Amino acid sequence: MSSVHQATYQEDASVQKRRWLILIVLNLFTFMSTLDGSIVNIALPVLSGKLGLPMAQVAWVTTGYLMAICSFILFFGRLGDIAGKIRIFKIGTVVFIVGSLLCGFSGTLPLLIVSRVIQALGASMTMANSQGIVTDLFPANERGKALGLIGTFVSLGSIAGPSLGGIIVANLGWEYIFWVNVPIGLIAIGLGWRLLPKDLVRVKARIDSTGSLLFAILIVSLFAGLLLGQESGYGNPGIILSLFAAAAAFAAFLWVELRKPEPLLQLNLFKNPLFSLSILCGFLVFAANFCFNIISPFYTQNMLGLSPSSAGFLLMLFPISMVVIAPLSGALSDKIGSELLTFAGLVVMVIAQFGLAQLHAGSTIAIVGVWIAMLGVGSGLFQSPNNSLVMSTVPRTQLGSAGSVNSLVRNIGMVVGITIATTTLFGVMSDMAGHRVTGLIKGRPDIFLAGMHVVFITSASICLAAAVLTGWRFVRTKQRVRVEVRRQRPGEGRG
């Protein structure tokens, strides 16, 4: 494998003049593609009524999108390294807008799911390559700030879905959840095709078709098994077979990738402990945040009695807090490093999640708002420095792969978060009710609240595990710095 290099973007004055405008374009598509993974959740009851289908079937509008992204994102990250990250990103923007347009015109569930898969193909093209483009474009002293803004819009998109979705559905209709992407996307496409430079770094390699197929089988069989298991129970033979197929595909994928000279997934990336730990912590945070994302619409509307639009405005405290904090955290990480900030963010998230676990039907809007805003502050503190840690540890020729791994782990975290939240919630509710429960029980808010408390204690524990790992990394980094300083002192003294 070899790579084709030209001068870097940092040496091109015209590119450097417009780098922040380019970042805006990247962030617009980052926001829209992650937003569309969660914005549908609050509209599922409306879709269920309009299409005349049970909730369990309509839920595939959300999960099908996430599954398709996870299935293709590594492929498009690797293709970005080979064909050019900017070229693949540009194609992805067009595919995403076409998919968004088709979603709004879909009158049946199969057509809507197909349109969502088209939309997901475009989203995975942009997600897989945006972080690599930013790392290429920005000099080292601004990279944390730039990646921090990408991370901000990733988290904003993934967590703002219920709030924005509630407002759009209440005022315009479910179709506009998808159509809102079209005018914004066309503006971003026009700017992007004008501002984005030509690709400078490409890797001469072949696409790993075997690895791509095995990975798609792994994702589809794993997620289908996890999500369908909630409906029919994990003892169902079909579910057991699906999960077994996922395990077999995973083993085969690793076996193939370790022997391929040009693999789909650069497994040597994970030899770097800083990269691996940052990826793991990012996964844990997205899983925890999606527990909140799934539970909060039910709590605010069914327990507090808020309308979809009012619930949406209350939930907006999360993304608003992130908008304020994440850019500051990213800029600060360029000056003081990322380890302390990621640890501080996780500690704040743990406190907020435990606070959410204390809420009940009589909680005031003010106290609910405080815990939601604090969760946003913690996420903002964590995401920007963590993305900087992930992307600053890999060579330029693997930026597409590293960015796609980061995006893949984020999306898997979302699906795992959904699975943890719903499985835990309905498991606790079923135990209390004495029969299998897969929805809210009329007149029994206490049963839902009991399940909600366990979900938030679980998500707090997930954040606590990430905080312990990050704290350990911070201590180890400080110890290494002290050792290096001691080693250098004798030499300085002799000079």
Side-chain angles (χ1 to χ4, degrees):
M1 181 179 70
S2 62
S3 57
V4 179
H5 291 274
Q6 298 175 21
T8 66
Y9 292 119
Q10 286 86 31
E11 297 166 7
D12 189 329
S14 64
V15 172
Q16 290 304 298
K17 282 181 183 177
R18 60 183 192 269
R19 66 188 184 278
W20 292 104
L21 288 173
I22 292 171
L23 184 63
I24 291 171
V25 174
L26 297 176
N27 279 336
L28 279 173
F29 273 97
T30 296
F31 176 74
M32 287 190 294
S33 56
T34 50
L35 177 74
D36 275 63
S38 63
I39 196 170
V40 178
N41 291 344
I42 205 162
L44 290 181
V46 177
L47 281 169
S48 179
K50 292 279 186 181
L51 301 176
L53 295 168
M55 284 289 290
Q57 289 185 32
V58 176
W60 284 95
V61 176
T62 298
T63 52
Y65 178 80
L66 293 173
M67 284 169 64
I69 287 177
C70 292
S71 296
F72 292 108
I73 201 163
L74 284 182
F75 172 80
F76 286 122
R78 188 63 181 146
L79 189 61
D81 285 334
I82 295 170
K85 293 183 286 295
I86 290 172
R87 177 186 292 181
I88 299 303
F89 180 89
K90 285 180 175 179
I91 295 170
T93 60
V94 176
V95 174
F96 179 78
I97 294 305
V98 170
S100 298
L101 193 64
L102 291 173
C103 284
F105 286 116
S106 300
T108 64
L109 184 63
L111 187 57
L112 181 55
I113 291 174
V114 169
S115 301
R116 286 284 276 172
V117 170
I118 294 170
Q119 194 186 31
L121 283 172
S124 59
M125 288 180 182
T126 61
M127 284 181 181
N129 291 286
S130 59
Q131 293 181 66
I133 294 171
V134 167
T135 308
D136 256 351
L137 283 177
F138 282 81
N141 65 330
E142 292 180 342
R143 199 167 291 149
K145 187 189 299 183
L147 286 170
L149 285 169
I150 285 276
T152 301
F153 279 84
V154 164
S155 297
L156 277 177
S158 63
I159 208 71
S163 48
L164 287 179
I167 294 165
I168 292 171
V169 169
N171 294 285
L172 296 172
W174 70 266
E175 298 91 346
Y176 287 87
I177 283 176
F178 307 109
W179 285 343
V180 73
N181 293 328
V182 177
I184 299 170
L186 289 174
I187 293 169
I189 287 172
L191 289 171
W193 286 62
R194 182 179 177 184
L195 294 171
L196 283 162
K198 292 183 178 179
D199 285 291
L200 294 182
V201 179
R202 295 180 192 171
V203 176
K204 289 183 177 178
R206 294 180 179 179
I207 291 293
D208 177 10
S209 55
T210 306
S212 300
L213 178 62
L214 285 170
F215 191 77
I217 293 170
L218 161 63
I219 292 297
V220 172
S221 55
L222 175 63
F223 288 173
L226 289 175
L227 295 165
L228 289 173
Q230 297 176 55
E231 299 173 30
S232 56
Y234 291 102
N236 183 296
I239 303 302
I240 294 171
L241 182 62
S242 179
L243 295 175
F244 178 78
F250 180 62
F253 176 74
L254 290 180
W255 189 87
V256 167
E257 295 303 284
L258 287 168
R259 286 157 179 78
K260 280 260 185 180
E262 298 167 353
L264 173 71
L265 177 60
Q266 302 282 336
L267 292 172
N268 62 338
L269 287 171
F270 296 96
K271 291 180 180 178
N272 185 328
L274 188 62
F275 177 86
S276 297
L277 188 56
S278 300
I279 284 287
L280 174 60
C281 289
F283 164 78
L284 293 174
V285 165
F286 271 92
N289 276 346
F290 250 65
C291 288
F292 168 80
N293 215 14
I294 289 295
I295 298 297
S296 57
F298 291 101
Y299 173 70
T300 52
Q301 292 180 66
N302 296 95
M303 299 299 112
L304 298 182
L306 300 178
S307 66
S309 56
S310 297
F313 282 118
L314 178 61
L315 296 176
M316 281 290 284
L317 288 171
F318 188 114
I320 288 170
S321 301
M322 280 204 63
V323 165
V324 174
I325 297 298
L328 298 175
S329 179
L332 193 58
S333 72
D334 288 329
K335 297 179 180 179
I336 67 169
S338 299
E339 285 89 351
L340 180 60
L341 289 168
T342 55
F343 177 69
L346 287 164
V347 169
V348 173
M349 289 183 68
V350 170
I351 295 169
Q353 295 272 9
F354 276 120
L356 290 167
Q358 308 305 313
L359 296 177
H360 50 82
S363 296
T364 63
I365 299 296
I367 193 65
V368 175
V370 166
W371 294 126
I372 292 173
M374 186 178 287
L375 192 61
V377 168
S379 296
L381 279 172
F382 170 82
Q383 288 293 348
S384 303
N386 196 65
N387 276 327
S388 183
L389 282 171
V390 168
M391 298 302 292
S392 63
T393 57
V394 297
R396 289 178 72 197
T397 54
Q398 293 183 344
L399 287 175
S401 294
S404 63
V405 168
N406 199 18
S407 299
L408 168 68
V409 166
R410 177 178 73 233
N411 283 280
I412 290 177
M414 293 178 190
V415 179
V416 169
I418 293 171
T419 306
I420 290 171
T422 52
T423 303
T424 304
L425 177 70
F426 294 136
V428 173
M429 291 177 68
S430 297
D431 285 343
M432 290 188 67
H435 58 87
R436 186 169 180 79
V437 173
T438 56
L440 297 177
I441 302 174
K442 192 172 182 179
R444 293 298 306 272
D446 57 310
I447 291 181
F448 171 81
L449 289 169
M452 183 187 84
H453 293 156
V454 176
V455 170
F456 283 133
I457 289 170
T458 302
S459 59
S461 301
I462 292 170
C463 287
L464 183 60
V468 170
L469 289 171
T470 306
W472 174 79
R473 179 180 64 189
F474 178 62
V475 171
R476 288 293 301 272
T477 302
K478 295 285 284 183
Q479 288 174 344
R480 281 197 298 268
V481 170
R482 288 196 193 104
V483 169
E484 287 298 319
V485 169
R486 286 171 186 166
R487 284 177 180 169
Q488 291 171 10
R489 279 176 183 166
E492 291 172 0
R494 284 192 294 271

